[in-house]
Amino acid sequence: MTMLARLALLPLALAATRAPPLAAQQTPTMLDERVKQYDWVRPQADFVRRTVMIPMRDGTKLYTVIVFRKGTTDAPILLTRTPYDADASTSRKRSQKLSEIVRVGDVPFVEDGYIRVYQDVRGQHHSEGDYVMNRPLRGPLNPTKVDHATDAYDTIDWLVKNVKESNGRVGVTGVSYDGFTTLMAMIDPHPALKAAVPSSPMVDGWIGDDWFHNGAFRTFGFDYDLEQTVGKGAGEVPKGTGDDYAAYLAAGSAYDYAHAYGLTALPVVRKVLERPAYDAWWQGQAVDKLLAARTLTVPTMLVVGQWDQEDSYGAPAVYRALMGSGRPNAPVSLVIGPWFHGQNMSDGRQLGALKFEGDTGRQFRDRLMKPFLDCRLKTVAPPPCAPAGVFTYATGADRWETSATWPAGTPTPLYLAGGATLSWTKPAAGSDSYVSDPAKPVPMLPRPIKLSGDEWRTWLVRDQRFVDGRPDVLSYTTPVLNRAVHIKGAPRVDLHAATTGRDGDFVVKLIDVYPEEYAADPTMAGYQLGVGIEIFRGRYVNGFATPAPLEPGRTYAFGWSLPNADHVFKPGHRIMVQVQSSLFPLYDRNPQSWVPSIMAAKPGDYVKATQTIRWGGDAASAVWLPVAAD
């Protein structure tokens, strides 16, 4: 073809690459301008995004989003089953770049060729079926033939048969509720399930996760219940934007609060209000017990934040369950990092006033999570697979540590003593008292309080000086430390106390007191950092399933654990233990008189009580610290 002929054809070639011209006839001006859908993933995108309805064994179809980089082959699948909207999890930004549409924690995986899958659980968002909060395993509490375990099995089965870009190996992961569904996938697992990373999973909602802690009801759950079980736009409980402390105090009991805002219309709220004790309904849903009854076949990395404000109990409880019963070689690891709930999958440079050496969240993902999954999911795994173990971040010293077992410290008593002191040796007998007034409960934070946002995420590391010195808070302190005290485990509270009431709550805080002069970071001078804070409801002293009134004036031995921690109390610091009888409005008020259900207490049931904390002698109150040898 001559040059002249080529030039003659050039306009036709250019026209073929342009967008098609608008029709000669104009669009009617009164046309209904709504369209059914718009595909925001354009041909120039560097990824593939598919949405499918995967059938379960009972015919219910679950909405599933699959994303991966174009050209992917022989790739592992990383699955999350969630009530929090699969679409939103894979469209963080409506970009045409894969690393921009997924969440920060997913970026290392999709950039390394993983196929990322999110699925709406039954009854949520685009999935079919009924939604049941933390749907129990099929059996006594679930007469149907389906649950999260069967749904995970059916989903994995479909994925490995229909996603041709995969290598047939699947991992499951997720935070909070998604951590719960991750654990459920490990019960009677699909053969293609090769690894699991549950982060801050909901495990036992009564003992120490979302709804109760040692019998004390956590009021913040009302907002969650409303959000999860009502259609779009439900939002928070419409109590206004002021002080949550004032709103809960004015409402009265948990039931009165729920009734005032129409929450008793929600089945999940009624179920919780009707079951204040640790009955068979709660026990039958405890995932650690379900897993303990089975042999673990899926290598698992359990993850939790040291200052997890929502689910501090679950991951360590599952670790204990899986490592117990003569199974020391179970393929399970435990990771405890310096994080709030789920911060391991986001930026981990800072938590409230605490600043760390680098991005601890990214360090976890790069050094621990991804190598763990790569080793078990990739066709050509990078050898060798690291052995199971315990990986913790030592706060105070700012370093990652590895331990063979957990707890990794020796229980060492730090005794409450006279003169508001703490002693490493048992003192002579004595006591201190304070008056607990339900009309003036001790606040969890400086008022005004809002149980949401950054205030909620960071409340556990807030400076405790705002209550130090209150007449209804006892503070015991060591002398200035001349050597470091390193704890690795869950401190155990052994509190000997009496009350003039017939019930009562006790809150213990383990605190790191910074020096009054602190040149390393002047903003932290004198700071009282809560290392562990936990509550115990007195009526359960003889068993969580058998509440009973306390005998006024009788000394009881109350025992419970604080959250797991790897923390170094540095030389020049002091250790403090605070004791009080309320932590409001996070926990509902104990009326301190006897009522069958605190949930339904009436205004006249709330009475003042004198609480007596005994120390030394035969009633030696102490916090047993898991002290590690450095």
Coordinates of all heavy atoms in Angstrom, one line a residue, residues 342-414:
G342 N -9.1 -3.8 66.5 CA -8.9 -3.8 65.1 C -7.8 -2.9 64.6 O -7.6 -2.9 63.3
Q343 N -7.0 -2.3 65.4 CA -6.0 -1.4 64.9 C -4.9 -2.1 64.2 O -4.1 -1.5 63.5 CB -5.4 -0.5 66.1 CG -4.6 0.7 65.6 CD -4.1 1.5 66.8 OE1 -4.3 1.1 68.0 NE2 -3.4 2.6 66.5
N344 N -4.8 -3.4 64.4 CA -3.7 -4.2 63.8 C -3.9 -4.2 62.2 O -2.9 -4.4 61.5 CB -3.7 -5.7 64.2 CG -5.1 -6.3 64.0 OD1 -6.1 -5.9 64.6 ND2 -5.1 -7.4 63.2
M345 N -5.1 -3.8 61.7 CA -5.3 -3.8 60.3 C -5.3 -2.3 59.8 O -5.8 -2.1 58.7 CB -6.6 -4.5 59.9 CG -6.6 -6.0 60.3 SD -5.2 -6.9 59.5 CE -5.7 -6.9 57.8
S346 N -4.8 -1.4 60.6 CA -4.8 0.0 60.1 C -3.5 0.6 60.6 O -2.5 -0.1 60.9 CB -6.0 0.8 60.6 OG -6.0 0.8 62.1
D347 N -3.4 1.9 60.7 CA -2.2 2.6 61.2 C -2.0 2.3 62.7 O -2.8 2.6 63.5 CB -2.3 4.1 60.9 CG -1.0 4.8 61.1 OD1 -0.5 4.9 62.2 OD2 -0.4 5.3 60.1
G348 N -0.8 1.9 63.0 CA -0.5 1.6 64.4 C 0.7 2.4 65.0 O 1.4 1.9 65.9
R349 N 0.8 3.6 64.5 CA 1.9 4.4 65.1 C 1.6 5.0 66.5 O 2.5 5.3 67.2 CB 2.2 5.6 64.1 CG 2.7 5.2 62.8 CD 3.0 6.5 61.9 NE 3.6 6.1 60.6 CZ 2.9 5.8 59.5 NH1 1.6 5.7 59.6 NH2 3.5 5.5 58.4
Q350 N 0.3 5.1 66.8 CA 0.0 5.8 68.0 C -1.4 5.3 68.5 O -2.2 4.9 67.8 CB -0.1 7.3 67.7 CG -0.4 8.2 68.9 CD -0.2 9.7 68.6 OE1 0.2 10.1 67.5 NE2 -0.6 10.6 69.5
L351 N -1.5 5.3 69.8 CA -2.8 5.0 70.5 C -3.0 6.1 71.6 O -2.3 6.0 72.6 CB -2.8 3.6 71.1 CG -4.0 3.2 71.9 CD1 -5.3 3.4 71.1 CD2 -3.9 1.8 72.4
G352 N -3.9 7.0 71.3 CA -4.1 8.1 72.2 C -2.8 8.9 72.4 O -2.2 9.3 71.5
A353 N -2.4 9.0 73.7 CA -1.2 9.7 74.0 C 0.1 8.9 73.8 O 1.2 9.4 73.8 CB -1.2 10.2 75.4
L354 N -0.1 7.6 73.6 CA 1.1 6.7 73.4 C 1.6 6.7 72.0 O 0.8 6.5 71.0 CB 0.7 5.3 73.8 CG 0.2 5.0 75.2 CD1 -0.1 3.6 75.4 CD2 1.2 5.6 76.2
K355 N 2.9 6.8 71.8 CA 3.5 6.8 70.5 C 4.5 5.6 70.5 O 5.2 5.4 71.5 CB 4.3 8.1 70.2 CG 3.4 9.4 70.4 CD 4.2 10.6 70.2 CE 3.4 11.9 70.5 NZ 3.1 12.0 71.9
F356 N 4.5 4.9 69.4 CA 5.3 3.7 69.3 C 6.4 3.8 68.2 O 6.4 4.8 67.4 CB 4.4 2.5 68.9 CG 3.2 2.4 69.8 CD1 1.9 2.5 69.4 CD2 3.4 2.1 71.2 CE1 0.9 2.4 70.2 CE2 2.4 2.0 72.0 CZ 1.1 2.1 71.6
E357 N 7.3 2.9 68.2 CA 8.5 2.9 67.3 C 8.0 2.4 66.0 O 8.1 1.2 65.7 CB 9.6 2.0 67.9 CG 10.3 2.6 69.1 CD 11.0 3.8 68.9 OE1 11.5 4.0 67.7 OE2 11.2 4.6 69.8
G358 N 7.5 3.2 65.1 CA 7.1 2.9 63.8 C 5.6 2.5 63.8 O 4.9 2.6 64.8
D359 N 5.1 2.0 62.6 CA 3.7 1.6 62.5 C 3.6 0.1 62.9 O 3.9 -0.8 62.1 CB 3.4 1.8 61.0 CG 1.9 1.5 60.7 OD1 1.2 0.9 61.6 OD2 1.4 1.8 59.6
T360 N 3.2 -0.1 64.1 CA 3.1 -1.4 64.7 C 2.0 -2.3 63.9 O 2.1 -3.5 63.9 CB 2.7 -1.4 66.2 OG1 1.5 -0.7 66.4 CG2 3.8 -0.7 66.9
G361 N 1.0 -1.6 63.4 CA 0.0 -2.4 62.6 C 0.7 -2.9 61.3 O 0.5 -4.1 61.0
R362 N 1.4 -2.1 60.6 CA 2.1 -2.6 59.4 C 3.2 -3.6 59.7 O 3.4 -4.6 59.0 CB 2.7 -1.4 58.6 CG 3.3 -1.8 57.3 CD 3.7 -0.6 56.5 NE 4.2 -1.1 55.2 CZ 4.5 -0.3 54.2 NH1 4.3 1.0 54.3 NH2 5.0 -0.8 53.1
Q363 N 3.9 -3.4 60.9 CA 4.9 -4.4 61.3 C 4.2 -5.7 61.5 O 4.8 -6.8 61.0 CB 5.5 -3.9 62.6 CG 6.4 -2.7 62.4 CD 6.8 -2.0 63.7 OE1 6.5 -2.6 64.8 NE2 7.4 -0.9 63.6
F364 N 3.0 -5.8 62.1 CA 2.3 -7.0 62.3 C 2.0 -7.7 61.0 O 2.2 -8.9 60.7 CB 1.1 -6.8 63.1 CG 0.0 -7.8 62.9 CD1 0.1 -9.1 63.5 CD2 -1.1 -7.6 62.1 CE1 -0.8 -10.1 63.3 CE2 -2.1 -8.5 61.9 CZ -1.9 -9.8 62.5
R365 N 1.4 -6.9 60.0 CA 1.0 -7.4 58.8 C 2.2 -7.9 57.9 O 2.1 -9.0 57.3 CB 0.2 -6.4 58.0 CG -1.1 -6.0 58.7 CD -2.0 -5.1 57.8 NE -1.4 -3.8 57.4 CZ -1.5 -2.7 58.2 NH1 -2.1 -2.7 59.3 NH2 -1.0 -1.6 57.7
D366 N 3.3 -7.1 57.9 CA 4.4 -7.5 57.1 C 5.2 -8.6 57.7 O 5.7 -9.5 57.0 CB 5.3 -6.3 56.9 CG 4.7 -5.2 56.0 OD1 3.6 -5.5 55.4 OD2 5.2 -4.1 55.9
R367 N 5.4 -8.6 59.0 CA 6.3 -9.6 59.7 C 5.7 -10.8 60.2 O 6.3 -11.9 60.3 CB 7.0 -8.9 60.8 CG 7.8 -7.6 60.5 CD 8.4 -7.0 61.7 NE 9.0 -5.7 61.5 CZ 9.5 -4.9 62.4 NH1 9.5 -5.3 63.7 NH2 10.0 -3.7 62.1
L368 N 4.4 -10.8 60.5 CA 3.7 -11.9 61.1 C 2.6 -12.5 60.2 O 2.6 -13.6 59.8 CB 3.2 -11.5 62.5 CG 4.2 -11.1 63.5 CD1 3.6 -10.6 64.8 CD2 5.1 -12.3 63.8
M369 N 1.6 -11.6 59.9 CA 0.4 -12.1 59.3 C 0.7 -12.6 57.9 O 0.3 -13.7 57.5 CB -0.7 -11.1 59.3 CG -2.0 -11.5 58.6 SD -3.2 -10.2 58.7 CE -4.6 -10.9 57.8
K370 N 1.3 -11.8 57.1 CA 1.5 -12.2 55.7 C 2.4 -13.4 55.5 O 2.1 -14.3 54.8 CB 2.0 -11.0 54.8 CG 2.0 -11.3 53.3 CD 2.2 -10.1 52.5 CE 2.1 -10.5 51.0 NZ 3.1 -11.5 50.6
P371 N 3.6 -13.5 56.2 CA 4.4 -14.7 56.1 C 3.6 -15.9 56.6 O 3.8 -17.0 56.0 CB 5.6 -14.4 57.1 CG 5.7 -12.9 57.0 CD 4.3 -12.4 57.0
F372 N 2.8 -15.8 57.6 CA 2.0 -16.9 58.1 C 1.1 -17.4 57.0 O 1.0 -18.6 56.8 CB 1.2 -16.5 59.3 CG 0.2 -17.5 59.8 CD1 0.5 -18.5 60.6 CD2 -1.2 -17.3 59.5 CE1 -0.4 -19.5 61.0 CE2 -2.1 -18.2 59.9 CZ -1.7 -19.3 60.7
L373 N 0.4 -16.5 56.3 CA -0.5 -16.9 55.3 C 0.2 -17.3 54.0 O -0.2 -18.3 53.4 CB -1.5 -15.7 54.9 CG -2.5 -15.4 56.0 CD1 -3.3 -14.1 55.7 CD2 -3.4 -16.6 56.3
D374 N 1.3 -16.6 53.6 CA 2.0 -17.0 52.4 C 2.5 -18.5 52.5 O 2.4 -19.3 51.6 CB 3.3 -16.1 52.3 CG 3.0 -14.8 51.8 OD1 1.8 -14.5 51.4 OD2 3.9 -13.9 51.8
C375 N 3.0 -18.8 53.7 CA 3.6 -20.2 53.9 C 2.5 -21.3 53.7 O 2.9 -22.4 53.2 CB 4.1 -20.2 55.3 SG 5.0 -21.8 55.7
R376 N 1.3 -21.0 54.0 CA 0.2 -22.0 54.0 C -0.7 -21.9 52.8 O -1.4 -22.9 52.5 CB -0.6 -21.9 55.3 CG 0.3 -22.3 56.5 CD -0.2 -21.8 57.8 NE 0.6 -22.2 58.9 CZ 1.8 -21.6 59.3 NH1 2.2 -20.6 58.6 NH2 2.5 -22.1 60.2
L377 N -0.7 -20.8 52.1 CA -1.6 -20.6 51.0 C -1.0 -20.5 49.6 O -1.6 -20.8 48.6 CB -2.4 -19.3 51.2 CG -3.3 -19.3 52.5 CD1 -4.1 -18.0 52.6 CD2 -4.2 -20.5 52.6
K378 N 0.3 -20.1 49.5 CA 0.9 -20.0 48.2 C 1.3 -21.4 47.6 O 1.6 -22.3 48.4 CB 2.1 -19.1 48.2 CG 1.8 -17.6 48.4 CD 3.0 -16.7 48.2 CE 2.6 -15.3 48.1 NZ 3.8 -14.4 47.8
T379 N 1.2 -21.5 46.3 CA 1.6 -22.8 45.7 C 3.0 -23.1 45.9 O 3.4 -24.2 46.3 CB 1.3 -22.7 44.2 OG1 -0.1 -22.5 44.0 CG2 1.6 -24.1 43.5
V380 N 3.8 -22.1 45.8 CA 5.3 -22.2 46.1 C 5.5 -21.3 47.3 O 5.7 -20.1 47.2 CB 6.1 -21.7 44.9 CG1 7.6 -21.9 45.2 CG2 5.8 -22.5 43.6
A381 N 5.5 -22.0 48.4 CA 5.5 -21.2 49.7 C 7.0 -20.8 50.0 O 7.9 -21.6 49.7 CB 5.0 -22.1 50.8
P382 N 7.2 -19.6 50.5 CA 8.5 -19.2 50.9 C 9.0 -20.0 52.2 O 8.4 -19.7 53.3 CB 8.4 -17.7 51.2 CG 6.9 -17.5 51.5 CD 6.2 -18.6 50.8
P383 N 9.9 -20.9 52.1 CA 10.3 -21.7 53.3 C 11.2 -20.9 54.2 O 11.9 -20.0 53.7 CB 11.0 -22.9 52.6 CG 11.6 -22.3 51.4 CD 10.6 -21.3 50.9
P384 N 11.3 -21.3 55.5 CA 10.4 -22.3 56.1 C 9.2 -21.7 56.7 O 9.2 -20.5 57.0 CB 11.3 -23.0 57.1 CG 12.2 -21.8 57.6 CD 12.4 -20.9 56.4
C385 N 8.2 -22.5 57.0 CA 7.1 -22.0 57.8 C 7.5 -21.8 59.3 O 8.1 -22.7 59.9 CB 5.9 -22.9 57.8 SG 5.0 -22.9 56.2
A386 N 7.3 -20.6 59.8 CA 7.7 -20.3 61.2 C 6.8 -21.2 62.1 O 5.7 -21.4 61.9 CB 7.5 -18.8 61.5
P387 N 7.4 -21.7 63.2 CA 6.7 -22.5 64.1 C 5.7 -21.6 64.9 O 5.8 -20.4 65.0 CB 7.7 -23.0 65.1 CG 8.9 -22.0 65.0 CD 8.8 -21.5 63.6
A388 N 4.7 -22.3 65.4 CA 3.7 -21.5 66.2 C 4.4 -20.9 67.5 O 5.4 -21.5 68.0 CB 2.5 -22.5 66.6
G389 N 3.8 -19.9 68.0 CA 4.4 -19.2 69.1 C 3.5 -18.1 69.5 O 2.4 -17.9 69.1
V390 N 4.1 -17.3 70.5 CA 3.4 -16.1 71.0 C 4.2 -14.9 70.6 O 5.4 -14.8 71.0 CB 3.1 -16.2 72.5 CG1 2.4 -15.0 73.0 CG2 2.3 -17.4 72.8
F391 N 3.6 -13.9 70.0 CA 4.3 -12.7 69.5 C 3.6 -11.5 70.2 O 2.4 -11.3 70.0 CB 4.2 -12.6 68.0 CG 4.7 -13.8 67.3 CD1 3.8 -14.8 66.9 CD2 6.0 -14.1 67.1 CE1 4.2 -16.0 66.3 CE2 6.5 -15.2 66.5 CZ 5.5 -16.2 66.0
T392 N 4.3 -10.8 71.0 CA 3.7 -9.6 71.7 C 4.6 -8.4 71.6 O 5.8 -8.5 71.4 CB 3.6 -10.0 73.2 OG1 4.9 -10.4 73.8 CG2 2.6 -11.1 73.4
Y393 N 4.0 -7.3 71.7 CA 4.7 -6.0 71.7 C 4.8 -5.5 73.1 O 3.8 -5.3 73.8 CB 3.9 -5.0 70.9 CG 4.7 -3.7 70.6 CD1 5.6 -3.7 69.4 CD2 4.6 -2.6 71.4 CE1 6.3 -2.5 69.2 CE2 5.4 -1.5 71.1 CZ 6.2 -1.4 70.0 OH 6.9 -0.3 69.7
A394 N 6.1 -5.4 73.6 CA 6.3 -4.9 75.0 C 6.1 -3.4 75.0 O 7.0 -2.6 74.7 CB 7.7 -5.3 75.4
T395 N 5.0 -3.0 75.5 CA 4.8 -1.5 75.7 C 5.6 -1.0 76.9 O 5.9 -1.8 77.8 CB 3.3 -1.2 75.9 OG1 2.8 -2.0 77.0 CG2 2.5 -1.6 74.7
G396 N 6.1 0.2 76.8 CA 7.0 0.7 77.7 C 8.4 0.5 77.3 O 9.3 1.4 77.4
A397 N 8.7 -0.6 76.6 CA 10.1 -0.9 76.0 C 10.0 -0.7 74.5 O 11.1 -0.6 73.9 CB 10.5 -2.3 76.4
D398 N 8.9 -0.7 73.9 CA 8.7 -0.5 72.5 C 9.5 -1.5 71.7 O 10.4 -1.1 70.9 CB 9.0 0.9 72.1 CG 8.0 1.9 72.5 OD1 6.8 1.6 72.4 OD2 8.3 3.0 73.0
R399 N 9.2 -2.8 71.8 CA 9.8 -3.8 71.0 C 8.9 -5.0 70.9 O 8.1 -5.3 71.8 CB 11.2 -4.2 71.6 CG 11.0 -4.8 73.0 CD 12.3 -5.4 73.6 NE 12.1 -6.0 74.9 CZ 12.5 -5.4 76.1 NH1 13.0 -4.2 76.1 NH2 12.3 -6.1 77.2
W400 N 9.0 -5.7 69.8 CA 8.3 -7.0 69.6 C 9.1 -8.1 70.3 O 10.4 -8.1 70.3 CB 8.2 -7.3 68.1 CG 7.1 -6.5 67.4 CD1 7.3 -5.4 66.7 CD2 5.7 -6.8 67.5 NE1 6.1 -5.0 66.2 CE2 5.1 -5.8 66.7 CE3 4.9 -7.8 68.1 CZ2 3.7 -5.8 66.5 CZ3 3.6 -7.8 67.9 CH2 2.9 -6.8 67.1
E401 N 8.4 -9.1 70.9 CA 9.0 -10.2 71.6 C 8.3 -11.5 71.2 O 7.2 -11.5 70.8 CB 8.9 -10.0 73.1 CG 9.6 -8.7 73.6 CD 9.5 -8.6 75.1 OE1 8.5 -9.1 75.7 OE2 10.4 -8.0 75.7
T402 N 9.1 -12.6 71.3 CA 8.6 -13.9 71.0 C 8.7 -14.8 72.3 O 9.7 -14.8 73.0 CB 9.4 -14.6 69.9 OG1 9.3 -13.7 68.7 CG2 8.8 -15.9 69.5
S403 N 7.6 -15.5 72.6 CA 7.6 -16.4 73.7 C 7.1 -17.8 73.3 O 6.3 -17.9 72.3 CB 6.6 -15.9 74.8 OG 7.0 -14.5 75.2
A404 N 7.6 -18.8 73.9 CA 7.2 -20.2 73.6 C 5.8 -20.5 74.1 O 5.0 -21.3 73.5 CB 8.2 -21.2 74.1
T405 N 5.4 -19.9 75.2 CA 4.1 -20.1 75.8 C 3.5 -18.8 76.3 O 4.2 -17.8 76.4 CB 4.2 -21.1 77.0 OG1 5.1 -20.5 78.0 CG2 4.8 -22.5 76.6
W406 N 2.2 -18.9 76.7 CA 1.6 -17.7 77.3 C 0.6 -18.2 78.4 O -0.1 -19.2 78.1 CB 0.8 -17.0 76.2 CG 0.4 -15.6 76.7 CD1 -0.9 -15.3 77.1 CD2 1.2 -14.4 76.8 NE1 -0.9 -13.9 77.5 CE2 0.4 -13.4 77.3 CE3 2.5 -14.1 76.5 CZ2 0.8 -12.1 77.5 CZ3 3.0 -12.9 76.7 CH2 2.1 -11.9 77.2
P407 N 0.6 -17.6 79.6 CA 1.4 -16.5 80.0 C 2.9 -16.8 80.1 O 3.3 -18.0 80.3 CB 0.9 -16.1 81.3 CG 0.2 -17.3 81.8 CD -0.3 -18.0 80.7
A408 N 3.8 -15.8 80.0 CA 5.2 -16.0 80.0 C 5.9 -15.4 81.2 O 7.1 -15.3 81.2 CB 5.8 -15.4 78.7
G409 N 5.1 -15.1 82.2 CA 5.6 -14.6 83.5 C 5.2 -15.5 84.6 O 4.3 -16.3 84.6
T410 N 5.9 -15.2 85.7 CA 5.6 -16.0 87.0 C 4.7 -15.2 87.9 O 4.9 -14.0 88.1 CB 6.9 -16.2 87.8 OG1 7.8 -17.0 86.9 CG2 6.6 -17.0 89.0
P411 N 3.5 -15.8 88.3 CA 2.6 -15.0 89.1 C 3.3 -14.5 90.4 O 3.8 -15.3 91.2 CB 1.5 -16.0 89.5 CG 1.6 -17.0 88.3 CD 3.0 -17.1 88.0
T412 N 3.3 -13.2 90.6 CA 3.9 -12.6 91.7 C 3.0 -11.6 92.4 O 2.5 -10.7 91.7 CB 5.2 -11.8 91.2 OG1 6.0 -12.7 90.5 CG2 6.0 -11.2 92.4
P413 N 2.7 -11.8 93.7 CA 1.7 -10.9 94.3 C 2.3 -9.5 94.6 O 3.4 -9.3 95.1 CB 1.4 -11.6 95.6 CG 2.6 -12.4 95.9 CD 3.2 -12.8 94.6
L414 N 1.5 -8.5 94.3 CA 1.7 -7.1 94.7 C 0.5 -6.7 95.6 O -0.6 -6.6 95.1 CB 1.8 -6.2 93.4 CG 2.1 -4.7 93.7 CD1 3.4 -4.6 94.4 CD2 2.1 -3.9 92.4

